[in-house]
Amino acid sequence: MPVTLTEQLDSLYTTTWQLMRKEAIDNIFKATPFWFWLTAKERRRTEQGGRYIGVPLEYRKNETVQSFGKGDTISTQDTDPLTMAKYDWKYVAGTIVRYYQDDQQNRGKAQIMSLAKAKFRNLEQSLIDKLEADLFGDGTGNSGKDIHGLGLLVSEDGTGVVGGINAATETWWKNQYKDMTDRTPTTYLLSDMRTMFNDCSKGNDTPTIIITDQSSYELYEDEVMEQKQIVNKELGDAMFENILFKGRPLTWSPSCPAGSMYFLNDRYLEWVADEAINFEMTDWKPAQNNLDRVAQIAVAGNLICSARSRQGVLFNIGETTPQG
């Protein structure tokens, strides 16, 4: 049986995406500062499905450690220092539509490939926008179907149920936070940034990147205007504007909530995707009640955190309490 035009075009589109897929994933995760940084620090990985993404957490010390002298005994009491955070899989997809008339009118291979690439590039850009917007959300968008963003992992009260653990009762699971309302930036911004940086640190385990909104970035820039401004070369080479704070890059995103500044340690942040659903393309299928064809490109994954106490947020920067 000869291969039909529809089958030929199905195959051509699918092959085109397979050839573009790796570059598209790179583009998606290198288009904005946070995802670029996570990629550069090799904090993206895949795993094989499962009901949830499990992350072992070390939440208490070995209580048998002690000083001892001649003849002393050492405790043999078992200590279990680990618990498990369980993150839900989240699903993101976009649709590619092929209109029957387009298939008929663009039958040359070069025309079809040009059209296919244009559609895939458009979807790629839309996925970039979706992940960047959701990054700063709290995961409740779209009836709780959005990925776990910084609004949840690094919340403005430190609490929240994250990875199945309720930080309201398990206080070791809180992130650092400070409300900057009525704290004039020209007076308090630099000192509060320093305190937040230190609150998120333990020895040489310190925040690795700071992300804020444009206005707060410019407030900091104004404060250090007369100093020699040094930038992080890795971010700078990728054309992301940044200034160093205590040796760590401070950059901004247009999606970051106004007046917020996140102090992040990438050692404890990861993007985890299912290796079988990692921006993969579905089979082509008929659209409803017509001759058009549709396919989806989908990813199953989530942003996870294994140490919330190493993350922090300043919020309401530049805000003042209304006088009534």
Side-chain angles (χ1 to χ4, degrees):
M1 180 181 296
V3 177
T4 67
L5 174 62
T6 295
E7 290 171 328
Q8 290 175 356
L9 295 179
D10 284 357
S11 178
L12 183 58
Y13 266 78
T14 300
T15 301
T16 301
W17 174 249
Q18 289 171 347
L19 293 173
M20 295 176 62
R21 176 177 166 274
K22 184 180 184 304
E23 180 187 354
I25 294 175
D26 284 344
N27 290 342
I28 289 167
F29 285 106
K30 292 181 179 179
T32 55
F34 174 83
W35 296 114
F36 172 86
W37 190 258
L38 221 60
T39 297
K41 301 306 175 183
E42 299 183 345
R43 303 302 295 167
R44 284 171 40 213
R45 63 178 175 87
T46 60
E47 61 180 53
Q48 293 181 331
R51 292 179 58 192
Y52 54 80
I53 305 167
V55 185
L57 304 177
E58 188 174 332
Y59 75 107
R60 65 179 182 180
K61 298 179 180 178
N62 186 317
E63 297 171 355
T64 67
V65 175
Q66 65 182 70
S67 302
F68 71 96
K70 185 176 180 179
D72 288 347
T73 60
I74 300 173
S75 173
T76 58
Q77 181 70 37
D78 182 39
T79 298
D80 182 5
L82 300 179
T83 189
M84 180 75 73
K86 300 177 180 179
Y87 289 90
D88 294 332
W89 291 103
K90 300 292 184 174
Y91 305 90
V92 179
T95 297
I96 297 291
V97 178
R98 280 176 29 221
Y99 293 105
Y100 184 74
Q101 289 88 344
D102 288 343
D103 283 355
Q104 182 269 321
Q105 294 171 10
N106 297 275
R107 293 177 61 179
K109 185 174 181 180
Q111 291 174 297
I112 286 294
M113 290 197 67
S114 178
L115 182 60
K117 288 179 179 180
K119 287 179 176 287
F120 289 135
R121 293 300 184 201
N122 176 262
L123 180 57
E124 173 189 301
Q125 187 59 54
S126 298
L127 287 166
I128 289 170
D129 293 344
K130 170 66 174 171
L131 286 178
E132 182 68 1
D134 288 357
L135 168 64
F136 295 99
D138 60 6
T140 60
N142 195 21
S143 302
K145 298 172 187 175
D146 288 346
I147 66 169
H148 290 161
L150 298 178
L152 174 68
L153 303 180
V154 195
S155 68
E156 292 183 356
D157 62 2
T159 60
V161 179
V162 179
I165 301 172
N166 190 343
T169 53
E170 302 293 337
T171 55
W172 56 270
W173 192 228
K174 285 186 174 183
N175 60 263
Q176 312 298 328
Y177 61 95
K178 185 173 183 63
D179 187 348
M180 296 284 288
T181 302
D182 291 333
R183 295 183 68 80
T184 308
T186 53
T187 303
Y188 295 107
L189 181 60
L190 292 182
S191 62
D192 285 345
M193 288 175 65
R194 181 173 60 246
T195 299
M196 179 56 67
F197 185 96
N198 293 335
D199 286 347
C200 294
S201 302
K202 185 175 182 180
N204 63 1
D205 188 9
T206 64
T208 55
I209 189 169
I210 305 166
I211 299 181
T212 188
D213 66 299
Q214 181 180 345
S215 177
S216 299
Y217 179 88
E218 291 171 357
L219 285 172
Y220 174 76
E221 194 172 29
D222 288 342
E223 291 302 305
V224 298
M225 185 68 73
E226 296 181 1
Q227 303 175 25
K228 182 180 179 181
Q229 296 183 13
I230 304 173
V231 303
N232 177 269
K233 186 176 186 301
E234 200 165 19
L235 282 173
D237 287 349
M239 304 303 291
F240 294 121
E241 186 176 358
N242 73 95
I243 309 173
L244 294 190
F245 174 78
K246 293 176 75 71
R248 300 296 185 265
L250 167 67
T251 186
W252 65 276
S253 166
S255 297
C256 184
S260 294
M261 184 178 290
Y262 292 92
F263 292 70
L264 306 174
N265 189 328
D266 63 65
R267 181 179 176 185
Y268 307 104
L269 294 167
E270 285 186 300
W271 169 261
V272 181
D274 186 332
E275 63 182 29
I277 314 175
N278 189 17
F279 298 96
E280 299 291 348
M281 189 173 183
T282 67
D283 292 335
W284 287 96
K285 44 196 171 287
Q288 280 191 331
N289 303 321
N290 59 41
L291 299 177
D292 302 330
R293 304 279 284 170
V294 297
Q296 281 78 34
I297 292 172
V299 59
N302 208 348
L303 181 63
I304 65 172
C305 180
S306 57
R308 294 186 72 205
S309 64
R310 295 290 176 266
Q311 324 296 328
V313 60
L314 301 176
F315 59 98
N316 289 335
I317 297 171
E319 292 292 321
T320 56
T321 303
Q323 301 298 313

